[in-house]
Amino acid sequence: MGEACRRAMELLLAIADAYGYGKLIKIRSAHISGISYKNIGDSGLEFIRDLAESGGFVRVKATMNPCGFDLDKPWLFDVDEEFYKKQMEIVRLLKLMGVEETLTCTPYYAGNNPREGDHIAWAESSAVIYSNSVLGAYTDREGGPSALAAALTGRAALTPAHTDEGRMPEVKVKVHYKPRDYADWGLLGYVVGMREPRLIPLLEGVKAGSRDELKYLSAGFGASSSAPMFWLKRGEGCEGGVIEVDVSEVKSVREKWSLTRRPTVVFIGCPHCSLKELRSIAEELKEKRVRRDVKLLISTSRSVYERAVKEGVEEVIRRSGGLLVKDTCLIVSPMRLSKSDVILTDSAKTAHYAQTMTRAMIALGGRRRCLREAVES
Ligand code: F3S
């Protein structure tokens, strides 16, 4: 099956051996992260080039995570010429190998829809947690290289996340907190993940939310935990210990990210916004004007963006002065942010990563608050 496939197989077998199973398992799809040149640099680019030039081609449906900028508006992201060229080369090589240019962390809105019980090989923690916990698929938390290797072979390393025993809940978490908006859902996931970051939790006391709410729960959880999933309900219960998460615990994390100065950047769309979210953002922004001293950045996938353009939703956001972008996000773009910047976001995941990757001040607020702070009063 060629040199690229041989190398990919070797990589996957090394992982399977490390887990003690020594076996590969057939998969239905792959989702590949490590797309942004900011994250993978020259060595990542060379790894992808080697596989492409050795004749690599995908054997299952494979989609791409976001890259360093919106391919139609690179100037919004402080991209220099070298970054631009190398990023475009990464995307070109992946496309050459048959990976779809979805450039989103919500592949499930872009045609990569696993069914319950499907074995898949997905990278991108928020999408992994969502596909395991909400869609009922089976995937480990692949890295960019192993997800690409899986795409090229149609196989993933057999690991505990692909077995029913390996996915049993390991700790019961009694939740005494009612999330009211997306920021709360993300924060709840983040706090649960922080408490027992290696264990699969069974959440008790959490009303199953909408798909979008669960998307934020998954992203927050994935940012602080290394477990592949959570359970929301499970008949037979859980044999592990019990911990409790209450309002005060959630509040203390939220306080760490409170807004004390006017934001210079308001970021919404981590994970990428659904069309439903964009419609409601447009509704809020109708006949309003984004403040001159604020950058309102809203990110989505290109498939959702296209539908937003058709429906006129993109136009409403654009007319207000908001920047609706696709293919990227604040975290994977090389956008320059300084100590004097204040980032306000409604995503616990963005707050978590932004605090380690930038010198800007980070604040977490509900969606309404984010939009209110972004517009002129
Ligand atoms: Fe997606 Fe970027 Fe958040 S890749 S999950 S929007 S950090």
Side-chain angles (χ1 to χ4, degrees):
M1 294 166 113
E3 175 59 15
C5 195
R6 188 191 65 74
R7 277 199 228 164
M9 197 69 93
E10 224 169 57
L11 188 155
L12 296 173
L13 276 169
I15 298 171
D17 284 345
Y19 276 97
Y21 290 98
K23 273 191 195 168
L24 305 185
I25 183 167
K26 279 194 175 172
I27 52 159
R28 288 185 70 98
S29 78
H31 179 67
I32 300 154
S33 69
I35 305 292
S36 172
Y37 178 65
K38 175 183 170 185
N39 300 124
I40 65 172
D42 288 331
S43 49
L45 168 57
E46 287 320 309
F47 174 78
I48 294 170
R49 194 196 306 282
D50 273 357
L51 290 172
E53 288 179 353
S54 319
F57 200 82
V58 299
R59 287 183 161 75
V60 289
K61 185 174 188 67
T63 44
M64 280 183 224
N65 220 37
C67 70
F69 49 83
D70 182 326
L71 298 198
D72 294 322
K73 300 171 200 151
W75 57 87
L76 288 175
F77 298 91
D78 302 325
V79 173
D80 63 24
E81 201 183 331
E82 187 196 354
F83 190 101
Y84 180 82
K85 279 191 187 150
K86 291 187 168 168
Q87 182 63 78
M88 293 307 282
E89 181 65 352
I90 292 167
V91 173
R92 185 188 75 79
L93 292 166
L94 288 166
K95 276 166 72 181
L96 198 68
M97 290 191 277
V99 183
E100 293 174 29
E101 195 186 31
T102 49
L103 297 170
T104 182
C105 47
T106 53
Y108 40 86
Y109 295 150
N112 193 351
N113 293 313
R115 290 177 313 213
E116 197 174 340
D118 279 354
H119 289 267
I120 58 177
W122 282 20
E124 166 49 49
S125 64
S126 69
V128 166
I129 308 294
Y130 185 87
S131 61
N132 279 330
S133 317
V134 181
L135 303 179
Y138 288 64
T139 177
D140 211 325
R141 293 177 68 139
E142 301 290 345
S146 65
L148 178 56
L152 299 181
T153 56
R155 311 282 192 283
L158 181 60
T159 62
H162 284 281
T163 68
D164 286 330
E165 339 47 279
R167 296 160 63 96
M168 295 296 280
E170 298 163 304
V171 60
K172 187 188 278 187
V173 183
K174 291 190 176 176
V175 177
H176 309 285
Y177 172 73
K178 299 253 171 298
R180 290 159 310 165
D181 57 21
Y182 296 138
D184 287 352
W185 280 95
L187 200 56
L188 174 61
Y190 187 71
V191 170
V192 168
M194 270 179 14
R195 284 294 294 276
E196 286 289 357
R198 299 166 81 92
L199 302 183
I200 297 177
L202 167 67
L203 306 186
E204 213 181 77
V206 180
K207 181 175 74 65
S210 68
R211 288 275 162 125
D212 281 327
E213 288 164 342
L214 295 175
K215 177 181 75 174
Y216 285 95
L217 181 68
S218 301
F221 179 73
S224 58
S225 166
S226 60
M229 64 183 299
F230 57 77
W231 288 98
L232 267 188
K233 49 179 184 255
R234 195 171 163 91
E236 59 267 48
C238 159
E239 287 175 4
V242 181
I243 57 172
E244 317 229 352
V245 165
D246 59 19
V247 185
S248 63
E249 201 171 344
V250 180
K251 256 189 168 169
S252 76
V253 180
R254 192 185 262 271
E255 266 158 27
K256 185 176 82 166
W257 288 325
S258 33
L259 187 66
T260 52
R261 298 205 314 258
R262 282 221 92 108
T264 55
V265 177
V266 174
F267 176 67
I268 293 172
C270 170
H272 280 173
C273 284
S274 65
L275 187 58
K276 187 174 154 220
E277 289 177 85
L278 293 185
R279 285 185 191 131
S280 87
I281 291 170
E283 207 42 53
E284 294 274 338
L285 290 177
K286 221 186 236 168
E287 284 153 34
K288 302 220 172 75
R289 214 37 241 156
V290 172
R291 294 160 52 93
R292 279 170 184 273
D293 53 356
V294 176
K295 197 177 218 176
L296 171 61
L297 204 61
I298 301 159
S299 67
T300 188
S301 62
R302 49 177 57 192
S303 60
V304 169
Y305 183 89
E306 278 159 22
R307 282 181 276 160
V309 169
K310 272 194 199 129
E311 276 194 21
V313 165
E314 181 271 342
E315 190 181 348
V316 176
I317 296 174
R318 180 165 34 85
R319 277 175 183 269
S320 75
L323 301 165
L324 178 60
V325 296
K326 53 182 179 50
D327 308 336
T328 190
C329 75
L330 190 76
I331 299 299
V332 298
S333 85
M335 214 157 102
R336 277 192 287 275
L337 292 157
S338 72
K339 226 164 126 189
S340 57
D341 279 307
V342 179
I343 303 170
L344 173 63
T345 179
D346 64 351
S347 162
K349 178 172 178 177
T350 284
H352 171 77
Y353 285 107
Q355 76 187 357
T356 57
M357 292 168 64
T358 76
R359 299 200 305 148
M361 174 186 269
I362 314 298
L364 183 78
R367 172 98 16 123
R368 284 236 158 106
R369 172 93 196 270
C370 286
L371 293 171
R372 216 174 42 236
E373 292 286 342
V375 297
E376 288 167 356
S377 45

